[in-house]
Amino acid sequence: MRIKRTSLVIGIILIIWSSLLYISLSIRPIPSKDDEDVDHQIVILEQSISGEFERNNVIINRAQKLLELKKKAEHRTNLLAMELQNVKIPILVFACNRVTVNRCLDGLIKYRPDPDQFPIIVSQDCNHEETRDVILKYGTQLSLIQQPDQSDIQVPPKEKKFKGYFKIARHYGWALNQMFFNFNFSTAIIVEDDLEVAPDFFEYFLGTYPLLVKDSSLWCISAWNDNGKEGVVNVNRPELLYRTDFFPGLGWMLTKNVWMELSTKWPKAYWDDWIRDPAQRRDRSCIRPEISRTRTFGKSGVSNGMFYEKHLKYIKLDEEFVPFTKMNLSYLLKDIYDNDFVHKVYQSPIVKHQDLKDGKVEYNVPVRITYRTRDEYKMITKKLGLMDDFKSGVPRTAYKGIVTFHFEGKMVHLAPNANWKGYDITWS
């Protein structure tokens, strides 16, 4: 009886406990406004975290792609560097009777990275013993060849005072034949005995060598900027390079193929003006730097110091080493350059040359000055301190008629109208 009663009590307690538990679980409290705000904030936080994850994934994917591109670029650079290691480019130094040739040779030897890759060959004319003695003091650091034809040259009576130009042309023809047909080099860099070179002279030519080989619209690489005076170049941008229709000379590289073409019709005199003629240039261009990699110290010579006092002695020689062999210079290839550089020139704002000179141009982008006639061009260049002459109708440093320079740090394009039809040979 007691057991039954106890069981009954326990059963009633269990029923009551179960009922209470059921009621407590089944009855849901009504959420307060504060609870709703918390839930809303949690949802926003979840969405923000989700969005941040998505953005991070985009950034990570971009970074991975950039890394892949960088690795590919480094791979191409390494391949190019390996290819360039096997390139042999001789330096042909033209000498005559300047005992100061040592100034030129000292610089070449000082900055030459590898004597085997860049052999120096001095070609001497004139049979000047003192100059030959200076050259021979360098021993095995260079090689000396001597122009054997020292006979007098017959020149027209009106050009007797220019006989030196005839001898120079004869010397050039003989020496280049030696380089390409006797020594069988495929490329050569030409330097004259009155030039000093920049620290990255060899790096510049080695870095641009692939362009010369690849782009048939190029026929030379030049170390010289005719408008390279300190006031009209950007000294902070020594890596800048341009295409030019004007043959600059004064430290330049050409290939055997070009010489094979020129050698069959090499002139008796004035070879540099001859090479600028449309019949020789054939619409081909050269590469030239913003800041020259050579500078002349030859005030006296057959040209009697023409332009030296006014321009040449003020040419800025680059002092900063630029790693051209590690740079992507494909922008200088004709198709890319014409679409990019030339397009940008004619998109630039037009300004007046006097406003530029007076410091009244407020644009922080490259600007353009327009010229329409030969006289207008010469007037503008004289006022801005540029060389104002033409050769076969081509202004110095011009590309498609555009002369690019820097004035007080601002890039300026002195350009013809956009409908330019080509060089006018009568502008010479």
Side-chain angles (χ1 to χ4, degrees), residues 195-211:
L195 293 179
E196 56 182 325
V197 301
D200 62 354
F201 174 86
F202 294 93
E203 175 76 4
Y204 170 71
F205 281 109
L206 192 59
T208 53
Y209 168 84
L211 297 173

Side-chain angles (χ1 to χ4, degrees), residues 46-60:
E46 289 175 346
Q47 292 174 345
S48 176
I49 292 171
S50 176
E52 193 65 34
F53 274 122
E54 290 179 3
R55 286 190 290 271
N56 287 340
N57 285 333
V58 170
I59 294 172
I60 291 170

Side-chain angles (χ1 to χ4, degrees), residues 6-260:
T6 302
S7 299
L8 179 61
V9 172
I10 293 173
I12 293 171
I13 293 172
L14 287 173
I15 291 171
I16 295 172
W17 179 83
S18 298
S19 299
L20 292 173
L21 180 62
Y22 172 79
I23 293 171
S24 65
L25 291 175
S26 60
I27 298 175
R28 187 171 181 175
I30 299 174
S32 67
K33 186 175 180 180
D34 290 341
D35 292 336
E36 290 179 353
D37 290 341
V38 171
D39 289 344
H40 180 66
Q41 292 298 325
I42 291 173
V43 170
I44 293 174
L45 182 60
E46 289 175 346
Q47 292 174 345
S48 176
I49 292 171
S50 176
E52 193 65 34
F53 274 122
E54 290 179 3
R55 286 190 290 271
N56 287 340
N57 285 333
V58 170
I59 294 172
I60 291 170
N61 290 334
R62 286 179 181 173
Q64 289 175 339
K65 289 180 180 179
L66 288 174
L67 186 60
E68 290 175 4
L69 290 173
K70 182 180 178 182
K71 287 181 178 179
K72 289 180 180 179
E74 289 176 349
H75 180 65
R76 287 195 298 269
T77 300
N78 292 335
L79 288 177
L80 179 60
M82 291 176 64
E83 292 175 4
L84 291 177
Q85 284 179 354
N86 298 321
V87 173
K88 193 169 188 176
I89 308 177
I91 313 300
L92 174 60
V93 181
F94 281 92
C96 180
N97 57 2
R98 283 193 179 103
V99 293
T100 52
V101 65
N102 67 297
R103 184 171 169 182
C104 171
L105 297 176
D106 286 346
L108 288 170
I109 291 171
K110 176 181 179 180
Y111 297 122
R112 179 172 58 172
D114 184 351
D116 292 327
Q117 187 173 27
F118 297 101
I120 298 173
I121 299 172
V122 181
S123 180
Q124 188 194 7
D125 199 0
C126 310
N127 274 345
H128 191 256
E129 290 187 12
E130 289 84 353
T131 300
R132 183 172 62 251
D133 291 342
V134 171
I135 297 168
L136 290 174
K137 286 181 180 179
Y138 289 89
T140 58
Q141 295 181 95
L142 52 78
S143 301
L144 172 65
I145 59 176
Q146 293 181 278
Q147 208 282 91
D149 186 0
Q150 295 297 313
S151 62
D152 193 24
I153 296 180
Q154 298 299 316
V155 301
K158 293 182 179 180
E159 298 186 79
K160 281 188 176 181
K161 63 180 180 179
F162 300 121
K163 184 179 287 188
Y165 289 107
F166 287 79
K167 290 185 177 181
I168 289 173
R170 181 174 68 180
H171 185 192
Y172 263 77
W174 176 83
L176 287 168
N177 279 336
Q178 293 297 306
M179 297 297 289
F180 293 118
F181 301 142
N182 186 17
F183 303 141
N184 201 31
F185 290 114
S186 62
T187 314
I189 299 171
I190 296 172
V191 174
E192 295 176 351
D193 58 358
D194 62 345
L195 293 179
E196 56 182 325
V197 301
D200 62 354
F201 174 86
F202 294 93
E203 175 76 4
Y204 170 71
F205 281 109
L206 192 59
T208 53
Y209 168 84
L211 297 173
L212 185 63
V213 174
K214 180 178 181 179
D215 189 346
S216 61
S217 71
L218 291 174
W219 71 327
C220 95
I221 307 292
S222 175
W224 181 259
N225 176 4
D226 280 284
N227 288 318
K229 293 189 295 186
E230 189 153 0
V232 287
V233 295
N234 189 339
V235 295
N236 297 315
R237 297 294 305 278
E239 78 283 0
L240 286 180
L241 305 179
Y242 307 84
R243 292 177 69 99
T244 176
D245 297 323
F246 188 90
F247 172 76
L250 293 175
W252 56 288
M253 179 167 62
L254 81 163
T255 63
K256 183 177 182 178
N257 288 337
V258 169
W259 178 245
M260 289 176 66

Side-chain angles (χ1 to χ4, degrees), residues 348-366:
S348 58
I350 297 176
V351 301
K352 296 179 180 179
H353 73 275
Q354 193 61 49
D355 287 343
L356 179 70
K357 188 174 182 180
D358 294 342
K360 296 180 180 179
V361 174
E362 297 181 356
Y363 294 107
N364 292 321
V365 296

